Amino acid sequence: MRAVHVTRLDGPEAVEIVDLPQPTAPDGQLLIQVARAGVSFPDLLLTRGEYQIRPDLPFVPGAEVSGTVVSAPADSGFTAGDRVAAFPGFGGFAEFATASTDFVFPLPDDMSFDVAAALPMNYLTCLFGLLQRGGLQAGETVLVHGAAGGIGTAAIQVAKASGATVIAVTSTPEKGEVARAAGADEVVAADGFLAAVKDLTGGRGVDIIVDPVGGDRFTDSLRSLATLGRLLVIGFTHGEIPQVKVNRLLLNNVSVVGVGWGAYWASRPHVVRAQWDQLMTLAGTGAIDPPIDQVLPLSDAGTAIGRLGTRTVTGKLLLDPTR
């Protein structure tokens, strides 16, 4: 089978397309013929050796896929031919992948493979962050940084489906249009967002901030929070990990909350299927519809991964292993 191989940690331009034996599913796992594979920011970090997990070389990246079950354990609830999404963690950038039964999810009949492959990483992270870690309540206001990216558009849609008002922060007007199309109620520029947010909220501030960016926005983000507000730390696409002087948390009784979705389910994998079912309930509102930036052939995996480092991706990038 064709697959993407990372053989050295020299970034996305070093990935190779190789022929590998079709995998055999270990006990407790399913074999899936991959229709689409989602490209995520950790894939970029993995090619550089900068992710918190460093698999032995060579390895096949790709944490999330959609496709068709080829084989499944008898007690898994799945049979050959079922349409599924899955979170294999690694191995998704290939024609076939294996995944544990805890990380394979049934698809609604009307959900496309494109949509399904765009959901696991970003949408389950945002669901965990906003609802479980952030305690989002209907009627609250959510500010989303990096609002045109994969996490950003997912956060907008999960928040809207949960009854929130959403203010999106973007670096360009074009990205602002992407955020608005994803469901944002208001869009403000990254430069001067603090003043804009104060104006939009009548000086009150927002209840929750979703921050996958980090960097020098962090202090003004804290200043943008209302009393009892929560700032959700999801990632650092800016590259710089900010520091906080904890006296700022006292001034307005605000919280900085870590959102490590993978760290949470690592010791409790059974929760992921429950989170997927919760996401499908929200999808019933019509608000869950991930914007797809591009669907590229597997042979363009290096280009796709590299684009994540340029901050030009809006929504989700996907790979098509059939091409």
Side-chain angles (χ1 to χ4, degrees):
M1 70 171 186
R2 295 167 65 244
V4 174
H5 239 196
V6 176
T7 59
R8 62 188 194 278
L9 302 179
D10 293 329
E13 47 285 328
V15 304
E16 302 174 10
I17 307 299
V18 298
D19 285 318
L20 297 177
Q22 181 177 308
T24 300
D27 290 345
Q29 296 200 18
L30 289 78
L31 177 64
I32 298 166
Q33 184 171 7
V34 178
R36 297 288 187 271
V39 185
S40 300
F41 194 70
D43 295 315
L44 172 64
L45 300 180
L46 282 163
T47 67
R48 298 172 174 169
E50 296 174 354
Y51 197 52
Q52 58 259 42
I53 301 171
R54 296 190 65 171
D56 293 335
L57 294 171
F59 65 90
V60 178
E64 54 190 343
V65 302
S66 62
T68 305
V69 174
V70 177
S71 65
D75 60 351
S76 67
F78 296 98
T79 59
D82 286 348
R83 300 170 65 254
V84 296
F87 191 78
F90 291 96
F93 291 175
E95 293 181 282
F96 295 87
T98 62
S100 166
T101 55
D102 287 323
F103 302 109
V104 180
F105 322 115
L107 299 186
D109 291 340
D110 60 350
M111 181 173 286
S112 70
F113 283 136
D114 283 3
V115 169
L119 294 179
M121 177 77 80
N122 291 338
Y123 281 78
L124 293 181
T125 294
C126 290
L127 184 89
F128 172 68
L130 284 164
L131 302 188
Q132 189 160 345
R133 298 292 286 139
L136 175 63
Q137 300 295 313
E140 290 191 311
T141 300
V142 175
L143 177 73
V144 179
H145 285 294
I151 284 286
T153 51
I156 289 169
Q157 294 188 349
V158 171
K160 287 298 296 179
S162 303
T165 297
V166 177
I167 301 172
V169 180
T170 62
S171 57
T172 67
E174 292 77 17
K175 289 184 176 181
E177 290 306 310
V178 173
R180 198 177 294 280
D185 297 285
E186 302 286 350
V187 176
V188 299
D191 290 338
F193 77 88
L194 173 60
V197 168
K198 291 293 187 182
D199 183 59
L200 285 171
T201 62
R204 175 182 177 274
V206 299
D207 300 292
I208 293 181
I209 294 176
V210 176
D211 185 8
V213 178
D216 55 8
R217 301 183 189 183
F218 199 78
T219 298
D220 277 351
S221 289
L222 289 175
R223 292 171 175 157
S224 300
L225 287 170
T227 301
L228 302 181
R230 295 85 77 195
L231 195 162
L232 306 182
V233 178
I234 291 184
F236 314 103
T237 58
H238 183 273
E240 178 186 345
I241 299 176
Q243 298 183 5
V244 57
K245 293 183 177 180
V246 294
N247 64 304
R248 294 189 181 278
L249 309 183
L250 300 177
L251 297 177
N252 207 23
N253 289 289
V254 299
S255 303
V256 175
V257 181
V259 179
W261 177 60
Y264 180 75
W265 59 248
S267 60
R268 46 183 78 81
H270 61 280
V271 305
V272 181
R273 174 59 188 272
Q275 292 173 337
W276 177 267
D277 292 343
Q278 186 179 15
L279 180 63
M280 291 301 98
T281 298
L282 292 181
T285 68
I288 305 299
D289 184 21
I292 306 300
D293 181 295
Q294 236 180 335
V295 180
L296 293 171
L298 191 70
S299 56
D300 286 348
T303 299
I305 297 170
R307 279 196 60 202
L308 292 173
T310 66
R311 300 182 68 179
T312 60
V313 176
T314 56
K316 190 70 173 179
L317 272 175
L318 301 175
L319 294 177
D320 179 356
T322 68
R323 293 193 287 149

